Amino acid sequence: MLSRRKFLAASGALGAAGIGSLVAPNAMSNLLTPKLNYVLNAQQSKWHFGGKIKSPADIFSYQKNTQTPIIYMQQGEQFSCLLKNQLPEPTTIHWHGIRLANAMDGVPFLTQDPVYPGDEFLYQFTPKDAGTYFHHSHFNSLTQLNRGLAGMIIVKEKQQPDFDQDIALNLCDWRLNADGSFQELLIPKKAARAGTFGNLHTTNWQVEPEFIAKPNSLVRVRILVSDVTRIFKLTVNGAKAKILAIDGNPIDEIRDMQREWIGPGMRMDIVILTPDEGQSVEIVNSSTNKPWPVASILSKGQSQKRQWGDLKPLPKNPIEPLDLQGAEIHRFNFSAGLGVQEDLGINCAASEYIFWAINKTSIGHLDPMSPTLRPTAALKLNKTYIFEFANVTPQTHPIHLHGFFFRVLESNRRTIIPHWADTALVKPDETIRVAFKANVLGNWLMHCHILEHQKTGMTGFINVS
Ligand code: C2O
Ligand code: CU
């Protein structure tokens, strides 16, 4: 049965999701309220995860002692966010998946200066696309994401789609000791393999939260993997679910959800038709041999009498068509590193370890002063490119390209239904092809979103001129 504590915890995670002075209108209903102006104070904070963690953990947060924030934007309307850095170290914010001007992309040394302690930075842009996105620090990322500087972005559609409820799930494992202190975040032996997994599984920073929805209703569930290591394999038990969107973009044809792999940085929007009163639905991760429910939804209240026939597809995002015929092909080999790091950093988060490389180059840190700093690929504005991501390692890598949606076209090893994405899972010995139009100028990072891999060499960038 549902305990009141669990229920309040779960609904609070969303209801109180507006941050700063922003409060959602109804804490119990998960109503989404777009707010266009934020002030985020990056600071040291405390969060009590409970369960096996006995004391509050020393986390980083954008607002004191609150849960992971959701940032709301409105498609086609200007958004602004003043980042104030009250941390003892520099930081920035990256708007993962949002298409914007390069100067707003939040990559220190590549698109902006780091925001030093005591400084502030104004991010301002107009999101073209609706959907589910991801905001996170991009400075000393492994540490700052692990400590909490990461959360969901919801860009509301121009025309509100017709769902009975909207539930956001931010999946993250924490690397904590029982006393609330953080464990080692980079264990070399593990960084050279799949990465270091967290030991406390949370959704919206809570252990197995339980939500309530009306029976026989259509519930949109937004899933974000903000964890920096784990690739989840999700199923829905107790009801049928369909996939609506991947990485913010509605898929061409809504299809049944099966067992879906979702890696760090990736998102999936699904819709669940909730069961009859009193029954519940579980969203389960089975990426390990001990599956666990990441969240559950209990049907309670008055039946909404919905049917699958009531479901309408989401409006498409305005992505420019590709010119695949004339596309130039660039190949990227994701491989083990050669033990040499280019441009080892002078002032931030470079690792002393190098385990990974893109096209034989290992960048763990970008040094803008370096005479040898050069893009992994130099592209021309408005041309369509096909990128071949070739994984020649025994690990799976979620490869993220900043600033663009690419069309995931095909794989040499499995059937891929073509779709738009900003992060793609490339499995061991797999080569996938993605295509995109290089229609915004600038230097755009491209890296593995398993952050230990990123930090130990699997980073590059493209230049569009
Ligand atoms: Cu979400 Cu450079 O990443
Ligand atoms: Cu990787």
Side-chain angles (χ1 to χ4, degrees), residues 168-183:
L169 306 178
N170 171 0
L171 311 188
C172 185
D173 296 337
W174 299 75
R175 290 128 185 90
L176 291 168
N177 299 308
D179 66 358
S181 59
F182 276 84
Q183 298 173 345

Side-chain angles (χ1 to χ4, degrees), residues 412-425:
N412 65 339
R413 293 185 61 107
R414 61 191 161 119
T415 310
I416 284 182
I417 301 171
H419 61 277
W420 295 102
D422 54 59
T423 308
L425 280 181

Side-chain angles (χ1 to χ4, degrees), residues 110-333:
L110 196 66
T111 71
Q112 69 168 96
D113 290 332
V115 184
Y116 290 97
D119 283 357
E120 39 186 64
F121 188 89
L122 181 67
Y123 293 97
Q124 212 160 39
F125 51 85
T126 300
K128 299 185 190 47
D129 309 302
T132 303
Y133 300 90
F134 180 23
H135 66 89
H136 62 79
S137 157
H138 220 294
F139 190 96
N140 197 9
S141 308
L142 179 66
T143 300
Q144 293 193 6
L145 271 80
N146 263 305
R147 288 205 164 224
L149 293 183
M152 191 180 278
I153 298 172
I154 292 175
V155 184
K156 292 190 67 180
E157 288 82 8
K158 281 191 180 136
Q159 217 121 62
Q160 179 80 7
D162 183 24
F163 295 105
D164 298 303
Q165 197 170 338
D166 195 319
I167 292 177
L169 306 178
N170 171 0
L171 311 188
C172 185
D173 296 337
W174 299 75
R175 290 128 185 90
L176 291 168
N177 299 308
D179 66 358
S181 59
F182 276 84
Q183 298 173 345
E184 217 35 73
L185 299 176
L186 190 155
I187 297 171
K189 261 209 313 241
K190 297 187 173 175
R193 299 193 172 89
T196 308
F197 291 98
N199 58 341
L200 181 75
H201 310 308
T202 68
T203 297
N204 302 345
W205 296 15
Q206 298 177 317
V207 178
E208 289 176 33
E210 196 165 24
F211 296 84
I212 288 184
K214 298 267 169 60
N216 319 113
S217 63
L218 286 171
V219 176
R220 178 181 188 166
V221 179
R222 302 167 188 266
I223 300 164
L224 158 70
V225 175
S226 70
D227 192 66
V228 302
T229 310
R230 187 176 304 282
I231 300 167
F232 288 77
K233 190 185 197 179
L234 297 178
T235 43
V236 171
N237 297 342
K240 193 158 161 175
K242 291 175 185 279
I243 303 175
L244 291 170
I246 293 174
D247 286 1
N249 286 297
I251 57 176
D252 295 352
E253 255 176 78
I254 293 176
R255 63 173 183 269
D256 290 350
M257 179 174 177
Q258 285 156 347
R259 293 208 279 177
E260 308 294 336
W261 292 100
I262 309 178
M266 299 168 75
R267 291 88 62 210
M268 184 175 278
D269 285 39
I270 62 172
V271 54
I272 294 174
L273 182 57
T274 58
D276 294 340
E277 164 95 34
Q279 295 179 24
S280 67
V281 179
E282 273 191 346
I283 301 164
V284 175
N285 174 47
S286 59
S287 65
T288 67
N289 44 25
K290 248 210 202 153
W292 68 88
V294 301
S296 59
I297 303 172
L298 175 72
S299 281
K300 197 171 187 263
Q302 183 153 24
S303 168
Q304 299 302 291
K305 300 206 175 73
R306 296 273 224 155
Q307 294 168 345
W308 282 114
D310 298 337
L311 178 65
K312 290 186 198 59
L314 295 166
K316 297 264 179 291
N317 284 326
I319 306 176
E320 277 183 59
L322 300 170
D323 169 23
L324 284 176
Q325 297 308 316
E328 200 174 289
I329 299 175
H330 287 250
R331 188 179 171 89
F332 300 89
N333 279 307

Side-chain angles (χ1 to χ4, degrees), residues 396-398 448 450 453 458:
T396 297
H397 302 285
C448 178
I450 292 175
H453 293 177
M458 203 174 268

